[in-house]
């Protein structure tokens, strides 16, 4: 049965389709702009939601237009990110950022950049070069006319830096990946408690861990992270960013996607839905654009500063993506030569570090010179001659072809499934790729590079003496795929989707997530033989919680007086984490209390600092099947724990929301608050008012994944800031949302115009045909070659 929201969504689609067919193009004022780098005039039609529809004479010019509009709408966002990746923060913000710059430069590619560029097909490279030129064209404009500069530049007294194509190859990802997990496991192993790691991160697929030969687990510590220790990064001093928030995002980031074949849709056309989950609270991680040229018609959400569209559709096929899991990073522990700490043991002898000297420009001060070291495995994170110890990080991102900056362009230029499979060779990051085309075909392909290890499984640090080195990479051809599946649909939600008979020696990772979102998606798709766009949009906003449903079955029959009000309220609840639900607020409080109590009960005191939380599946299993970890009478201990959690959750909710349970609303706690990342600077905070006032439903385990932020609060920490539902072939029927809008400039009408719609789950049209776009046109700009 369709709910009211689904009906409204389908009505919106019908209205758009009718309007596009009947309405004449809007008459809007047009302006001209002279730019350098375009080969012919480019028309940009902005619709009423701020989506730029770029009409160019050549495909590279279309990508020029994308670079231009991204810089127009998000210049400070992409400039700040570019500075960080290039290690050029200190020149703008002062000496305290020199160390951060050194860290970023440690992860610059030190191989042959020209060789990297030669790996890229000529047509893809031409589009990337044009994208960079489009960004620079907008930078030229705002420098020539400072009134066009985003407000941040006047406040901070800086100017944007120009872009260079080679920087797309040079800057790599300075990320710890799962190395902090490796260190935690080693420290638990040193305590003889490695099995406790399953409490926080159960391995999927199931696997038995063991300490690698030659690793002194007792010597491993967080100091081995070296430059990647989050608390030591000076960035938080400027942003006021809580390091725990970054950790929470790593733990929760994921996505949903599903693809439904024509045989199971009401229209007989495929439907592809996708909602990528990333952190929410600062700049929006997606920007929507439509690129049109002879041989190209492409629309969807892109990552600002990265050329191409990540989720969307062409005139031939729709595509989406979710995170797959490939362990692409290993921590190597190196033994230093006592006579010369610039050498480390490797392959039976001593090998000298490669050293690079970098001079970091500093605002208002002398340049800072730093020494960066590299072992055969990769960048050196820590170097401690006193302990004769260093660590190095091997990561796919630092390998030849590992940057992935050109992958989306190659995917966007493909015309069919076979063309995509050629493009996938340029895509190193782990991804479930979804596909559906106008001929009715559907496909799923896992893409990404998989390291080939001499030994080991990547779960703990390993000695860097050569025994555990990488010997190469497997590409996507060695990963799972399906084309036109018989059951008529497939879905990915970061669950373990390796085939049951997948070879044990080719498992790419053990970090797949709890399957709650996937299970709910599968439940709904399997029950809908004639799936509709409205069904997909409603499913993207589905708030049914499988953990909550399982928890309700465990409610005590005879609670204590303190716990009874909570039990009575939860017994009548439908297990939906709706924003207007008081029971949802109570459940989240009780769930948090139950997790804290279970951790205290089953984790020995000496290991509690190493187990930051408990996986929901582990908590539910421990509650449903209490065992000896809870003491001599585990059932009685479980009952007492549940009772105490219910009583404490009731008290906490009452304290937060007041004495009247009838007035409780989850959305009053689960607020969607967006702030400028530099809002710790008073002038920035004044110029960029926080976007706030709306609450949300959902949590980290509902299909509408809007997880709670780090710490004791209840604010939305992340979720799907971009959503799409694509009607393949009848493109104008497609729907989308982007939070909070297309622009990061508070002077723009698109600074927050989609904020309330996003909070309320009201999808907006995604016009694609020329008629539909012209009917919704709000502004027109023509870029003319200078």
């Amino acid at each position: 049965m369709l709910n009211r929201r689904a009906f409204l969504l389908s009505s919106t689609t019908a209205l758009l389709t009718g309007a596009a067919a009947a309405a004449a193009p809007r008459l809007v004022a047009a302006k001209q702009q002279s730019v350098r780098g375009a080969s012919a005039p480019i028309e940009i039609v902005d619709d009423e939601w701020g989506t730029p529809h770029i009409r160019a004479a050549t495909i590279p010019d279309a990508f020029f237009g994308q670079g231009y509009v991204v810089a127009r709408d998000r210049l400070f966002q992409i400039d700040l990110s570019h500075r960080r990746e290039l290690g050029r923060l200190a020149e703008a913000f002062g000496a305290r950022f020199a160390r951060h710059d050194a860290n970023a430069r440690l992860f610059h590619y030190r191989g042959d950049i020209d060789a990297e560029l030669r790996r890229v097909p000529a047509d893809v490279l031409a589009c990337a070069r044009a994208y960079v030129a489009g960004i620079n064209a907008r930078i030229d404009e705002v420098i020539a006319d400072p009134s066009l500069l985003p407000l941040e530049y006047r406040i901070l007294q800086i100017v944007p830096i120009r872009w260079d194509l080679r920087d797309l190859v040079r800057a790599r990802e300075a990320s710890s990946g799962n190395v902090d997990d490796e260190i935690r496991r080693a420290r638990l192993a040193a305590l003889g408690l490695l099995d406790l790691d399953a409490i926080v991160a159960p391995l999927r697929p199931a696997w038995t861990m063991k300490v690698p030969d030659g690793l002194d687990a007792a010597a491993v510590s967080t100091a081995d992270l070296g430059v990647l220790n989050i608390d030591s990064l000076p960035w938080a001093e400027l942003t006021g960013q809580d390091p725990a928030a970054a950790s929470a995002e790593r733990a929760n980031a994921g996505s949903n996607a599903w693809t439904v074949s024509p045989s199971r849709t009401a229209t007989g056309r495929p439907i592809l839905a996708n909602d990528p989950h990333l952190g929410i609270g600062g700049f929006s991680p997606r920007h929507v654009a439509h690129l049109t040229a002879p041989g190209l018609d492409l629309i969807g959400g892109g990552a600002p500063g990265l050329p191409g569209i990540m989720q969307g559709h062409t005139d031939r096929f729709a595509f989406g993506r979710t995170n797959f899991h490939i362990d692409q990073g290993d921590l190597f522990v190196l033994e230093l030569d006592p006579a010369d700490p610039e050498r480390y043991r490797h392959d039976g002898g001593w090998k000298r570090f490669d050293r690079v000297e970098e001079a970091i420009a500093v605002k208002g001060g002398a340049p800072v010179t730093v020494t960066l070291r590299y072992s055969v495995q990769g960048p050196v994170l820590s170097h401690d001659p006193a302990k004769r110890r260093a660590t190095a990080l091997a990561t796919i991102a630092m390998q030849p072809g590992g940057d992935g900056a050109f992958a989306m362009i190659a995917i966007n230029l493909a015309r069919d499934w076979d063309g995509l499979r050629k493009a996938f060779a340029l895509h190193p990051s782990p991804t479930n790729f979804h596909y559906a085309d106008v001929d009715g075909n559907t496909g799923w392909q896992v893409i990404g590079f998989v390291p080939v290890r001499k030994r080991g499984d990547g779960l703990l640090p390993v000695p860097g003496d050569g025994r555990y080195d990488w010997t190469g990479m497997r590409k996507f051809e060695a990963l799972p795929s399906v084309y036109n599946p018989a059951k008529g649909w497939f879905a990915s939600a970061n669950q373990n989707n390796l085939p049951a008979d997948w070879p044990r020696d080719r498992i790419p990772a053990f970090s797949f997530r709890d399957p709650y979102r996937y299970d709910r998606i599968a439940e709904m798709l399997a029950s809908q033989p004639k799936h509709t766009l409205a069904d997909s949009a409603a499913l993207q906003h589905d708030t049914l919680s499988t953990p909550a449903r399982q928890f309700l079955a465990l409610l005590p029959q005879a609670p204590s007086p303190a716990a009874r009000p909570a039990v009575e309220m939860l017994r009548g609840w439908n297990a939906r984490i709706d924003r207007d639900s008081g029971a949802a607020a109570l459940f989240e409080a009780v769930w948090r209390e139950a997790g804290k109590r279970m951790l205290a009960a089953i984790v020995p005191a000496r290991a509690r600092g190493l187990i930051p939380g408990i996986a929901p599946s582990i908590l539910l299993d421990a509650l449903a099947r209490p065992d000896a970890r809870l003491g001599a009478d585990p059932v009685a201990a479980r009952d007492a724990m549940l009772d105490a959690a219910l009583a404490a959750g009731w008290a906490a909710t009452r304290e937060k929301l007041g004495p009247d349970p009838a007035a409780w609303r989850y959305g009053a706690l689960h607020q969607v608050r967006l702030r400028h990342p530099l809002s710790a600077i008073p002038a920035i905070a004044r110029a960029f008012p926080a976007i706030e006032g709306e609450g949300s439903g959902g949590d980290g385990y509902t299909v509408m994944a809007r997880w709670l932020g780090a710490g004791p609060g209840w604010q939305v920490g992340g979720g799907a800031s971009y959503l799409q539902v694509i009607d393949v072939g009848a493109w104008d029927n497609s729907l989308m949302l982007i939070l909070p809008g297309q622009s990061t400039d508070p002077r723009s009408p698109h600074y927050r115009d989609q904020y309330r719609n996003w909070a309320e789950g009201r999808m907006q049209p995604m016009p694609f045909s020329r008629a539909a776009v012209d009917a919704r046109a709000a502004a027109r700009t023509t870029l003319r070659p200078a």
Side-chain angles (χ1 to χ4, degrees):
M1 179 183 293
L2 293 180
N3 60 25
R4 181 173 178 271
R5 172 184 289 159
F7 175 77
L8 290 173
L9 290 166
S10 61
S11 300
T12 300
T13 305
L15 287 171
L16 171 66
T17 308
R26 288 187 181 184
L27 297 177
V28 296
K31 64 179 182 179
Q32 309 277 330
Q33 182 65 46
S34 178
V35 295
R36 289 189 301 170
S39 67
I42 301 169
E43 184 183 27
I44 301 169
V45 179
D46 291 293
D47 67 26
E48 60 192 87
W49 300 281
T51 299
H53 301 264
I54 301 156
R55 297 167 177 171
T58 69
I59 292 176
D61 274 357
F63 282 88
F64 178 99
Q66 187 194 19
Y68 179 89
V69 296
V70 165
R72 180 197 68 182
D73 295 337
R74 305 284 187 88
L75 180 56
F76 186 77
Q77 177 183 2
I78 64 173
D79 183 41
L80 189 63
S81 176
H82 200 46
R83 284 181 184 274
R84 186 183 68 246
E85 293 168 354
L86 293 180
R88 295 181 58 183
L89 290 169
E91 70 182 48
F93 300 115
R96 58 185 173 161
F97 288 91
R99 183 180 177 189
H100 187 100
D101 287 344
N103 296 350
R105 296 184 192 201
L106 179 65
F107 287 87
H108 284 182
Y109 185 63
R110 301 297 172 179
D112 186 338
I113 290 181
D114 291 324
E116 289 290 279
L117 292 173
R118 287 194 294 271
R119 298 162 62 99
V120 182
D123 57 343
V124 173
L125 197 61
C127 294
R129 185 174 285 111
Y131 178 88
V132 168
I135 291 175
N136 286 333
R138 179 59 180 180
I139 290 174
D140 289 342
E141 277 183 25
V142 299
I143 289 177
D145 182 358
S147 68
L148 298 175
L149 272 170
L151 300 175
E152 296 99 333
Y153 292 99
R154 303 179 202 174
I155 295 169
L156 300 172
Q157 294 296 295
I158 60 174
V159 294
I161 57 176
R162 290 179 60 81
W163 288 48
D164 187 299
L165 176 68
R166 295 168 68 84
D167 291 335
L168 297 183
V169 178
R170 179 177 292 108
R172 302 293 171 106
E173 183 182 7
S175 168
S176 63
N178 68 342
V179 173
D180 50 353
D181 293 332
E182 294 182 23
I183 288 176
R184 181 186 67 246
R185 293 179 187 124
R187 296 176 69 191
L188 285 169
L191 296 173
L193 299 172
L194 184 53
D195 59 312
L196 291 185
D197 193 68
I199 293 173
V200 62
L203 299 184
R204 302 182 180 93
W207 191 257
T208 300
M209 287 187 288
K210 63 179 182 178
V211 177
D213 292 340
L215 176 69
D216 180 2
V220 174
S221 74
T222 54
D224 288 327
L225 280 174
V227 300
L228 294 180
N229 273 308
I230 295 173
D231 290 337
S232 68
L233 295 178
W235 188 242
E237 296 176 19
L238 183 61
T239 63
Q241 184 182 45
D242 181 359
S247 177
E249 181 170 349
R250 287 198 306 273
N252 287 280
S255 301
N256 302 319
W258 53 88
T259 305
V260 186
S261 301
S263 62
R264 293 188 63 90
T265 68
T267 63
R269 297 184 296 270
I271 291 174
L272 188 150
N274 190 196
D275 53 299
H277 306 158
L278 295 164
I280 288 174
F283 292 136
S284 172
R286 290 291 181 268
H287 177 267
V288 181
H290 181 187
L291 287 64
T292 307
L296 178 72
D297 205 354
L298 165 71
I299 190 171
L306 182 70
I309 297 300
M310 299 191 76
Q311 288 104 352
H313 69 81
T314 71
D315 57 335
R316 293 289 308 164
F317 63 86
F319 58 98
R321 53 196 291 128
T322 68
N323 287 350
F324 185 71
H325 292 258
I326 300 175
D327 185 349
Q328 294 187 324
D330 286 345
L331 185 69
F332 288 83
V333 180
L334 308 174
E335 177 190 350
L336 299 181
D337 182 352
D340 182 356
E342 292 302 320
R343 301 198 305 173
Y344 60 97
R345 189 182 298 281
H346 191 267
D347 279 347
W350 298 105
K351 190 178 294 290
R352 188 165 294 278
F353 290 114
D354 292 331
R355 288 165 49 109
V356 176
E357 304 290 323
E358 288 272 348
I360 298 172
V362 175
K363 180 180 181 180
V368 173
T369 300
V370 296
T371 300
L372 310 176
R373 295 177 177 84
Y374 299 86
S375 72
V376 294
Q377 294 92 0
V380 174
L381 305 182
S382 67
H383 183 258
D384 190 345
K387 293 183 178 179
R388 294 182 54 195
R389 182 183 185 86
T391 57
L393 179 64
T395 173
I396 288 292
M398 293 295 288
Q399 307 301 313
D403 61 287
F406 307 104
M408 295 318 305
I409 300 175
I411 286 170
N412 297 162
L413 297 184
R415 298 294 294 168
D416 53 27
W417 184 247
D418 290 338
L420 281 168
R421 290 182 63 82
K422 295 176 183 177
F424 292 158
L426 293 176
H427 194 292
S429 60
T431 301
N432 292 288
F433 191 88
H434 286 239
Y435 169 89
D437 67 27
V438 294
D439 297 322
N441 300 303
T442 62
W444 162 68
Q445 173 70 61
V446 176
I447 53 180
F449 296 175
V450 183
V452 179
R453 300 172 172 91
K454 285 184 181 178
R455 300 174 64 185
D457 51 24
L459 291 170
L460 281 88
V462 291
D465 56 15
R467 290 177 293 159
Y468 292 86
D469 285 1
W470 294 0
T471 60
M473 294 184 294
R474 293 190 185 98
K475 295 195 176 181
F476 78 93
E477 293 91 345
L479 294 167
S481 67
V482 68
Y483 194 68
N484 290 329
K487 70 178 180 180
W489 63 269
F490 50 88
S492 61
N494 318 115
Q495 83 285 5
N496 176 15
N497 53 2
L498 291 171
D501 59 351
W502 192 253
R504 297 289 285 175
D505 63 344
R506 283 173 48 202
I507 295 174
F510 301 90
S511 53
F512 293 93
R513 302 284 169 76
D514 278 306
Y516 299 125
R517 285 184 284 115
Y518 173 79
D519 289 347
R520 176 60 175 165
I521 293 166
E523 175 188 357
M524 296 305 295
L525 293 181
S527 69
Q528 295 170 334
K530 294 299 178 183
H531 188 78
T532 68
L533 288 181
D535 290 333
S536 270
L539 184 52
Q540 285 182 332
H541 295 90
D542 187 273
T543 59
L544 184 73
S545 168
T546 300
R549 191 159 53 179
Q550 295 174 359
F551 184 84
L552 293 180
L554 300 172
L555 290 175
Q557 294 300 314
S560 68
R564 185 174 295 115
V567 171
E568 290 174 352
M569 188 173 198
L570 291 175
R571 275 223 176 96
W573 179 46
N574 60 6
R576 291 186 177 273
I577 313 294
D578 290 330
R579 70 173 184 170
D580 292 330
S581 169
L586 173 61
F587 166 74
E588 296 290 353
V590 172
W591 180 261
R592 182 177 287 185
E593 293 290 340
K596 289 191 299 186
R597 284 165 170 75
M598 184 61 73
L599 272 180
I602 66 177
V603 177
R606 67 185 190 278
R608 284 176 189 162
L610 299 176
I611 307 294
I614 183 168
S617 57
I618 301 299
L619 174 57
L620 287 165
D621 186 69
L623 290 172
R625 285 172 286 278
D627 56 34
R629 292 176 298 174
L630 297 183
D633 188 346
V635 173
R638 184 275 314 272
D639 291 346
M641 181 187 301
L642 260 179
D643 196 273
L646 287 158
W650 180 267
T653 311
R654 181 182 167 93
E655 179 183 354
K656 290 284 186 182
L657 296 178
D660 181 9
W664 292 354
R665 298 290 182 270
Y666 176 55
L669 297 175
H670 201 43
Q671 288 284 301
V672 187
R673 188 166 194 259
L674 311 177
R675 297 182 299 171
H676 194 289
L678 305 189
S679 60
I681 300 172
I684 293 284
R686 287 193 296 270
F688 293 83
I691 300 173
E692 57 188 344
E694 294 290 340
S696 175
D699 64 11
Y701 311 111
T702 57
V703 178
M704 189 176 81
R706 297 178 183 177
W707 65 81
L708 279 66
W714 301 88
Q715 188 169 307
V716 175
S721 52
Y722 171 75
L723 304 91
Q724 64 177 29
V725 177
I726 308 299
D727 188 346
V728 178
W731 306 114
D732 286 334
N733 295 340
S734 302
L735 303 166
M736 60 163 281
L737 267 176
I738 185 169
L739 175 75
Q742 284 278 83
S743 175
T744 55
D745 189 335
R747 299 169 296 185
S748 167
H750 307 298
Y751 179 62
R752 57 169 295 159
D753 57 325
Q754 297 184 48
Y755 171 66
R756 177 166 290 178
N757 285 348
W758 182 90
E760 296 178 353
R762 291 199 301 263
M763 300 287 278
Q764 72 172 48
M766 192 177 187
F768 182 70
S769 69
R770 193 178 188 96
V773 170
D774 286 343
R776 299 282 184 165
R780 295 177 184 269
T781 302
T782 300
L783 306 180
R784 297 195 175 278

